[in-house]
Amino acid sequence: MNTNFKSWPILLALGLTSVPLVTMYAYMIIDTVTVSPPGSFIPNGISFGSWSFLWEAPAPGRPSIWSVTLNTFIFACVSTLMALSVSLTGGYALSRLHLPFRGFFLGGLIVLHAFPTITLIIAIFLILQMVGLYDTLAGVILVKAALEIPFGVWIMKGFYDTVPWEIEMAGLTDGATRFTVWRKLVLPQVQPGITALGIFAFLSGWSEFILPQVLAPGADAQVLGVYLQSLISDDTSMDFAKFKSVGVFYAIPVILIYILFNKHLMNIYGGGTKG
Amino acid sequence: MRIELKNFKKTFGDITVIEDMSLSLESGEMLALLGPSGCGKSTTLFAICGIHRMTGGQLLFGDRDVTLVPSQQRNVGVVFQNYALYPHMNAYENIAFPLMIRKEDRKTIEKKVSEIAALVHIGELMERKPAQLSGGQQQRVALARALVREPDILLLDEPLANLDAKLRLEMRSEIRRIQQQTGITAILVTHDQVEAMSMCDRIAIMNKGDIVQLSSPQDMYQNPNSEFVASFLGNPPIAFLDGVVTDGGVQLASSEALLPLRGQHGLPSSGMPIRLGIRPEHFQPENPLKVTGRISFVETQGREELYDVTLSNGSVLRSIQRQGGGYHLGDEVSWGIAENQILAFDASGARLHMGALA
Amino acid sequence: MRRTDLFGLGFMAPALILTIMFFLAPVVMTGVYSFTNMSTATGISGGAYLISPATIRSLTEQGFQGDAIERLSSESYVVDEAGLEAAEAAGYTPRFIAEIRSTLLGDTFTGRRDFERALKDLSHRPRSIRDLKKATELFQKSVLNVRFETEADFQSALSSLNLNLSPAEAVFLTETAYTGWIWTSANYDRAVNLPSTYRATANSAIYVTFTLAFNVGFGLFLAITTFYLPSGQAAFFRTIWFLPRILPPVLYVLMWKWLTWDTGFLSTLLSHFGVPPHNLMKHTATHAWVVVVLINGFVGASMGMILFSSAIRSIPQSMLHASEVDGANRWQQVRYIILPQLRWPILFTTAYQTLSLLTSFEYILLSTNGGPGSATNVWALYAFKIALNNYGGNLEYGYGAALAMVLVIIGIIASLFYLRLFNFKSMITSPRIEQ
Ligand SMILES: Nc1ncnc2c1ncn2[C@@H]1O[C@H](COP(=O)(O)OP(=O)(O)OP(=O)(O)O)[C@@H](O)[C@H]1O
Ligand SMILES: [Mg+2]
């Protein structure tokens, strides 16, 4: 970047502070495919034994990894689709349409956007019990999608705001209905927003732990986060290689998404205020 | 198609933008809406195409009352100032969009699009996205899209504002050619008076939400009915002299000089303030009614030269002359006004019609 | 309402409905629940009236006289007209009933066996022993371990016991016997009086202060250092530090467990130097805090890194070059050119993260779970554990809601403050298409 200054002191400082993380990443992978003698971290053999959870029948009382993965996938995808579609319509309404109490909705959106949703989990738990959605995948999906909405509507409103009014006006005078204008002319303009929000919501759903743990703890609705955590907390042998294999399996989609979309990710994690 | 706008009123919340405006266009006519920024030109246009609701008044297309008809059913083609092309569609899809919405069959669409593309000379650009087109090309695509479904009325909101000088000149005649070829009734919004004068059959000059004068370009230039219109038309602009009517003519403000407008009848009675408008082409060395001043500014405009002459009372007159007069900055000159071309206005800016001597 | 308004509302409706269901309703309900004593024991729907041995114990503690306690806790059978009518209704033969009336009417038995024996002696008794046992129940006058679905049933059962209670005692008895939840403000009293509340408050303060300082400080360090590196190297380090943010929390904390547990990396490494292995996550409070702050800090620093990096990139290059020409060294450049430009992003990060740290507990739950003891039990985790994750078994929803309510109120106030921060007026421009 800058030729007037030496860069090696910086490299040294950054390198040293990064040692813990790099070690953790490296052994995350190494431990899943090697064996090391006790008391040492230098592998002396290759072994894929810790990956046996992929093909072996699960321990009694534990669901199969594949049904858990399917649950996680359904959870992440459906909640993303819901959050996306609701944000797409809601953001458009707030950005462009006539609404009674428009100012009130906008103010409410900003307040909700900043509001820490996790504080509501106790009440949500009780509400789900009362409406009978407790311990169902549908229930957690609904909650997860709903909690993403203020953020999603906010982001999408921002994208809609940048679409020129004249495009919509032209569409109307060309004979299209307001709905067609939205669907055919405006949505294509906010494509980057859809991608960004979609990736964000998928990652957030895929990684989710507390909501499924609290709202759907049963084996039928278990997701990977809950599965891995229960594996760790139930196991007395501290078989880190096994945990890590499950962990790496769990992280594959995240890493893929990072590699494919890392520009989008930096933007949405930096631009939005999502913690 | 005739357009008639009666007692149009438009408010945004508490802000009244247009109080009471009436306007009518003959079928096949092209009218310019000319006026300074913020005077309500776009607002009028949006009311005609139905994007804005009219607060009051009535709008007729031919005999049909369309006041409450939504945009989609008005069959009005609009070219927006920034063209509003759909960025995700290529030129062909852009032009075909209105036809697709009408669910016309593919063959018909292809035929109509290629016809209109030929008309606006963009036949070879159909595969390009708007971002890959130059300003002038985008403008033609927008025009084609507005025209392709054979609208009854064509509205153009400052269609040339974003083009460079040369292209603007070219597109001016192009748009006029297409309008005359299709015989469509059109309204051109602009704040460029040259554009209005060169392209349109009639001009409506607007000021603060009101039409202050509506007539042909020639008439508008020669016979402005107010000081505002006179100052709005003409480039370089008209210059004004303030004065008071006396028996012998007009006594210029804070000066001894007296303009002896002897032969004019229709001058107001003595003692009334008056403003005289003199266009640069009517202030020339050879004219008889002399005033004296010092050349305070010289601008060379290629073929012609523009001089500002500051009189002893501080007023400035402009003169435009052929190259080669040999005048320099700071020269004291005594040039003449073409007496029968003076435009006189009263204190409120209204035109005073003085009979010419001739 | 105009047609255009309806169209807008239609677009808004899905967002509105979900928001009302999962934001508005929970906020209101948190407040409502916080004024109840709901727990696993009371259930969340209504309850019944039941005198159990536990009820008897608390009555004794309240100083009920021995007589009343005796009657409440004893079994007794009284042969009276009411019992005979019930027997008739239950389909016992008239001869049997007549025989009971003539021989036993008015008698009282204190044990089931005695009463059964007396019935067995009757000549017209039913054949099956089961029917006989059933018949005894019709004359039972005790209330112990009997569930009454309504208060009226409960009161009539009590009145047949002739307890001679004072009105205050009667009310207390009914309240103690009720198994459902009730309205109460005791949760807030309890929160104010329990030392663990103050402990949680102090923990939250420690947590937010240290984590925030780490996040902002380290975020600045990352942003500035990567700014001075060639773009390839910078991207490498940014990736390393960005990953914790997108990795699933369970997995990310697993890596830390591997690093810090007694069977993990650090302990094994240190054992070569004669240090005995410790679970550093839970060894001492200090160890636990260091780990908690680092776990959260490594995640939080990336937010600062991204925000600060883009702010630094927007500083005009010419300004930096000029300062170099003026002879500024790197430290001076950072101090006088870069840092002043970061004032607003730092303020924003601080404001935003204060609120989110105050209410978040996921990484602590997964790592130390508040331990050792309650050394790292922050307020949000405290509320969560009381209401939803308590190994003792009794989840106290009402009390947890009261604790969460404090956070909800802080959240609302902070978000309203946000509303002021944004230039709200400028956002409510009305739509330009009017149809
Ligand atoms: N939605 C609105 N709310 C309030 N005032 C408005 C609105 N739209 C336009 N105006 C006001 O109405 C007046 C006329 O606006 P309009 O856009 O018609 O001007 P214009 O003549 O087209 O100007 P320009 O040449 O700059 O395009 C302006 O003063 C403008 O501020
Ligand atoms: Mg305009």
Side-chain angles (χ1 to χ4, degrees):
Chain A
M1 157 105 279
N2 225 301
T3 45
N4 283 350
F5 298 127
K6 290 198 196 72
S7 69
W8 69 261
I10 289 181
L11 266 182
L12 190 70
L14 258 181
L16 283 180
T17 47
S18 303
V19 164
L21 268 181
V22 173
T23 313
M24 289 192 273
Y25 294 149
Y27 275 96
M28 188 79 205
I29 310 289
I30 293 172
D31 279 356
T32 63
V33 292
T34 62
V35 283
S36 312
S40 161
F41 284 94
I42 300 156
N44 61 356
I46 302 276
S47 156
F48 292 95
S50 61
W51 288 90
S52 63
F53 67 93
L54 287 180
W55 55 83
E56 265 173 16
R62 213 174 270 292
S64 126
I65 184 82
W66 297 109
S67 79
V68 175
T69 308
L70 182 67
N71 277 345
T72 318
F73 197 71
I74 294 173
F75 175 75
C77 287
V78 178
S79 64
T80 299
L81 282 181
M82 274 186 70
L84 250 187
S85 47
V86 174
S87 305
L88 280 175
T89 55
Y92 187 61
L94 281 181
S95 170
R96 289 294 160 94
L97 298 180
H98 287 270
L99 273 178
F101 317 115
R102 198 152 167 274
F104 175 78
F105 286 147
L106 269 173
L109 175 68
I110 298 177
V111 172
L112 284 187
H113 171 52
F115 188 80
T117 53
I118 198 70
T119 54
L120 299 177
I121 191 160
I122 297 171
I124 290 177
F125 168 81
L126 295 174
I127 289 174
L128 278 198
Q129 291 224 328
M130 287 175 173
V131 300
L133 283 173
Y134 176 69
D135 210 4
T136 62
L137 203 52
V140 230
I141 288 175
L142 209 57
V143 173
K144 179 69 190 170
L147 296 189
E148 296 289 352
I149 282 172
F151 177 70
V153 170
W154 180 254
I155 291 280
M156 288 319 304
K157 179 188 174 295
F159 278 93
Y160 282 125
D161 284 347
T162 65
V163 177
W165 272 103
E166 282 80 8
I167 286 191
E168 290 186 59
M169 293 175 174
L172 290 184
T173 54
D174 280 347
T177 61
R178 204 72 209 267
F179 184 82
T180 310
V181 166
W182 173 68
R183 174 72 202 73
K184 290 254 169 66
L185 303 181
V186 179
L187 273 192
Q189 316 303 319
V190 296
Q191 186 61 49
I194 299 177
T195 313
L197 183 59
I199 294 168
F200 177 84
F202 180 85
L203 277 183
S204 156
W206 185 261
S207 305
E208 186 60 55
F209 166 68
I210 287 194
L211 288 181
Q213 165 85 355
V214 171
L215 303 177
D220 288 342
Q222 201 165 66
V223 295
L224 276 168
V226 178
Y227 176 89
L228 177 56
Q229 179 60 18
S230 73
L231 205 63
I232 297 169
S233 54
D234 294 352
D235 196 305
T236 46
S237 63
M238 282 310 118
D239 185 355
F240 273 112
K242 183 164 120 203
F243 304 158
K244 284 182 171 182
S245 304
V246 176
V248 169
F249 178 75
Y250 184 19
I252 289 171
V254 179
I255 302 298
L256 282 181
I257 287 175
Y258 178 77
I259 292 169
L260 289 176
F261 297 105
N262 95 61
K263 281 269 153 46
H264 281 284
L265 280 174
M266 290 277 184
N267 282 340
I268 195 157
Y269 279 86
T273 57
K274 216 54 195 177
Chain B
M1 175 86 50
R2 255 180 62 85
I3 305 177
E4 186 152 11
L5 189 60
K6 291 184 194 159
N7 306 106
F8 167 45
K9 176 179 178 171
K10 180 69 203 173
T11 59
F12 295 106
D14 329 324
I15 311 163
T16 302
V17 175
I18 288 172
E19 184 66 58
D20 177 7
M21 172 176 160
S22 296
L23 177 69
S24 70
L25 271 85
E26 292 311 316
S27 190
E29 182 184 26
M30 182 148 172
L31 177 105
L33 271 185
L34 182 62
S37 191
C39 70
K41 305 181 296 286
S42 299
T43 306
T44 309
L45 214 66
F46 286 156
I48 293 174
C49 65
I51 283 167
H52 284 175
R53 216 187 298 261
M54 290 164 63
T55 313
Q58 204 185 12
L59 177 64
L60 298 176
F61 285 177
D63 296 327
R64 177 164 159 240
D65 184 339
V66 295
T67 314
L68 298 174
V69 173
S71 298
Q72 292 93 334
Q73 293 155 29
R74 289 195 188 189
N75 201 22
V76 176
V78 186
V79 177
F80 292 89
Q81 177 173 349
N82 60 7
Y83 315 138
L85 295 180
Y86 311 132
H88 58 294
M89 299 181 182
N90 65 24
Y92 178 88
E93 290 162 335
N94 261 285
I95 301 173
F97 183 77
L99 304 177
M100 269 177 43
I101 290 293
R102 282 196 199 166
K103 302 208 162 48
E104 296 197 11
D105 68 81
R106 178 187 284 276
K107 277 260 165 53
T108 325
I109 294 181
E110 259 170 37
K111 189 167 142 285
K112 284 188 180 171
V113 172
S114 59
E115 273 172 21
I116 205 82
L119 182 71
V120 300
H121 306 319
I122 47 165
E124 69 287 8
L125 304 171
M126 300 310 268
E127 297 303 317
R128 298 218 203 146
K129 292 269 173 72
Q132 302 163 316
L133 295 171
S134 74
Q137 291 166 337
Q138 289 183 32
Q139 217 265 326
R140 285 162 198 261
V141 175
L143 196 58
R145 187 180 66 188
L147 289 172
V148 74
R149 67 209 148 91
E150 293 150 21
D152 298 327
I153 288 146
L154 179 65
L155 304 178
L156 305 139
D157 192 355
E158 310 200 21
L160 306 177
N162 290 345
L163 302 181
D164 66 44
K166 184 170 164 288
L167 242 151
R168 203 181 297 191
L169 213 65
E170 192 181 313
M171 286 308 296
R172 251 190 235 160
S173 47
E174 192 79 333
I175 290 177
R176 180 60 165 166
R177 168 182 72 80
I178 292 164
Q179 185 263 333
Q180 283 175 334
Q181 213 163 323
T182 51
I184 194 169
T185 314
I187 298 182
L188 171 79
V189 162
T190 175
H191 49 216
D192 179 344
Q193 40 130 350
V194 184
E195 218 169 277
M197 302 224 285
S198 61
M199 291 170 73
C200 294
D201 301 309
R202 286 195 299 161
I203 298 178
I205 293 203
M206 286 185 71
N207 189 25
K208 297 185 183 138
D210 212 11
I211 294 184
V212 291
Q213 190 172 356
L214 200 166
S215 50
S216 69
Q218 204 56 31
D219 184 49
M220 186 80 79
Y221 187 75
Q222 289 170 350
N223 258 319
N225 64 7
S226 68
E227 187 189 322
F228 174 81
V229 174
S231 62
F232 207 84
L233 289 187
N235 185 25
I238 195 166
F240 290 101
L241 293 178
D242 286 313
V244 175
V245 180
T246 61
D247 289 339
V250 172
Q251 172 87 50
L252 295 189
S254 49
S255 124
E256 298 301 306
L258 182 82
L259 276 187
L261 294 173
R262 290 168 310 263
Q264 305 276 9
H265 60 83
L267 272 182
S269 51
S270 281
M272 295 294 287
I274 190 170
R275 275 197 119 186
L276 304 177
I278 296 133
R279 295 204 184 273
E281 61 268 34
H282 302 140
F283 181 53
Q284 302 287 337
E286 65 273 15
N287 288 341
L289 186 61
K290 299 290 187 205
V291 284
T292 308
R294 188 178 295 279
I295 295 178
S296 56
F297 179 76
V298 183
E299 185 183 300
T300 305
Q301 295 192 332
R303 218 162 4 95
E304 286 157 334
E305 221 140 355
L306 175 69
Y307 301 100
D308 281 9
V309 176
T310 305
L311 309 188
S312 58
N313 68 350
S315 322
V316 177
L317 282 179
R318 259 178 230 109
S319 172
I320 190 153
Q321 300 173 20
R322 258 173 205 289
Q323 285 275 352
Y327 302 105
H328 301 286
L329 191 67
D331 287 0
E332 176 128 344
V333 292
S334 188
W335 291 343
I337 299 168
E339 199 173 334
N340 51 0
Q341 301 289 352
I342 293 176
L343 302 168
F345 304 96
D346 68 13
S348 70
R351 174 84 183 274
L352 295 168
H353 286 276
M354 306 186 300
L357 186 66
Chain C
M1 192 165 302
R2 296 204 307 247
R3 222 176 55 93
T4 53
D5 282 346
L6 285 179
F7 183 72
L9 267 186
F11 260 69
M12 199 65 212
L16 268 183
I17 292 171
L18 283 179
T19 310
I20 289 172
M21 270 173 64
F22 295 105
F23 280 90
L24 224 53
V27 166
V28 174
M29 294 311 277
T30 305
V32 171
Y33 293 137
S34 74
F35 285 100
T36 71
N37 68 345
M38 265 186 210
S39 67
T40 324
T42 65
I44 57 171
S45 41
Y49 295 84
L50 172 73
I51 294 192
S52 65
T55 327
I56 301 288
R57 264 199 304 285
S58 65
L59 289 177
T60 320
E61 281 162 20
Q62 273 292 311
F64 274 57
Q65 298 118 348
D67 193 27
I69 293 289
E70 193 120 308
R71 289 189 194 189
L72 281 171
S73 52
S74 70
E75 287 184 88
S76 76
Y77 298 84
V78 176
V79 181
D80 55 7
E81 281 302 329
L84 289 170
E85 269 166 39
E88 207 164 342
Y92 290 95
T93 58
R95 280 190 301 173
F96 178 49
I97 292 167
E99 194 176 6
I100 299 176
R101 183 178 280 120
S102 60
T103 55
L104 298 173
L105 189 64
D107 287 3
T108 296
F109 301 87
T110 50
R112 186 187 200 117
R113 293 196 159 277
D114 294 345
F115 186 40
E116 260 176 43
R117 205 169 299 133
L119 288 184
K120 266 186 196 154
D121 292 342
L122 300 177
S123 45
H124 296 294
R125 62 162 210 270
R127 288 269 165 73
S128 92
I129 294 295
R130 236 199 29 231
D131 285 348
L132 189 80
K133 282 189 194 246
K134 272 228 168 105
T136 62
E137 283 171 16
L138 299 171
F139 297 91
Q140 185 177 14
K141 286 295 176 258
S142 60
V143 292
L144 192 66
N145 290 333
V146 177
R147 253 183 104 84
F148 298 93
E149 293 304 330
T150 68
E151 192 178 348
D153 290 352
F154 180 62
Q155 294 301 355
S156 75
L158 284 187
S159 64
S160 69
L161 288 181
N162 291 326
L163 293 174
N164 289 326
L165 296 175
S166 69
E169 285 175 327
V171 170
F172 182 77
L173 175 58
T174 314
E175 275 175 10
T176 322
Y178 186 60
T179 64
W181 56 269
I182 54 165
W183 299 107
T184 168
S185 62
N187 294 322
Y188 290 99
D189 299 339
R190 192 170 153 202
V192 172
N193 291 322
L194 275 182
S196 53
T197 317
Y198 295 97
R199 184 67 204 258
T201 313
N203 283 344
S204 279
I206 296 174
Y207 172 61
V208 172
T209 312
F210 282 95
T211 313
L212 192 62
F214 185 92
N215 284 354
V216 173
F218 200 67
L220 270 177
F221 170 78
L222 288 176
I224 293 173
T225 49
T226 53
F227 173 71
Y228 282 113
L229 286 182
S231 62
Q233 292 170 20
F236 172 74
F237 283 110
R238 289 212 185 100
T239 301
I240 288 181
W241 287 96
F242 182 67
L243 276 181
R245 181 166 215 85
I246 55 166
L247 283 178
V250 176
L251 175 59
Y252 171 66
V253 174
L254 168 65
M255 302 197 311
W256 280 90
K257 286 176 175 168
W258 171 80
L259 192 74
T260 57
W261 275 7
D262 40 4
T263 53
F265 183 77
L266 283 181
S267 285
T268 312
L269 196 67
L270 291 176
S271 69
H272 291 292
F273 304 96
V275 183
H278 290 301
N279 182 345
L280 297 175
M281 243 179 220
K282 296 185 172 174
H283 183 47
T284 66
T286 317
H287 284 105
W289 272 121
V290 169
V291 173
V292 162
V293 168
L294 287 181
I295 288 182
N296 282 281
F298 278 27
V299 175
S302 73
M303 175 177 175
M305 175 181 81
I306 296 169
L307 280 178
F308 302 153
S309 286
S310 64
I312 294 177
R313 268 198 299 273
S314 68
I315 300 175
Q317 280 291 308
S318 53
M319 222 161 122
L320 296 173
H321 289 313
S323 71
E324 280 161 37
V325 173
D326 290 346
N329 62 28
R330 181 141 52 194
W331 168 242
Q332 286 167 329
Q333 195 175 60
V334 169
R335 171 71 188 77
Y336 296 106
I337 312 282
I338 294 181
L339 282 184
Q341 302 279 337
L342 295 182
R343 203 173 301 154
W344 172 244
I346 290 175
L347 186 73
F348 175 82
T349 313
T350 309
Y352 179 75
Q353 290 205 350
T354 305
L355 183 59
S356 81
L357 284 173
L358 201 59
T359 53
S360 70
F361 56 85
E362 190 167 19
Y363 290 109
I364 306 186
L365 171 73
L366 287 169
S367 55
T368 65
N369 195 17
S374 45
T376 54
N377 204 14
V378 295
W379 186 290
L381 182 63
Y382 178 52
F384 175 77
K385 282 166 78 173
I386 283 190
L388 298 175
N389 192 12
N390 168 341
Y391 293 113
N394 191 18
L395 304 178
E396 296 177 87
Y397 308 133
Y399 185 40
L403 294 173
M405 197 61 204
V406 175
L407 295 177
V408 170
I409 289 170
I410 293 176
I412 291 175
I413 293 171
S415 335
L416 284 174
F417 172 72
Y418 244 67
L419 193 62
R420 288 200 59 93
L421 216 66
F422 279 89
N423 188 3
F424 181 58
K425 275 271 161 48
S426 72
M427 291 177 41
I428 22 184
T429 52
S430 58
R432 289 180 54 197
I433 292 179
E434 297 183 344
Q435 58 156 296

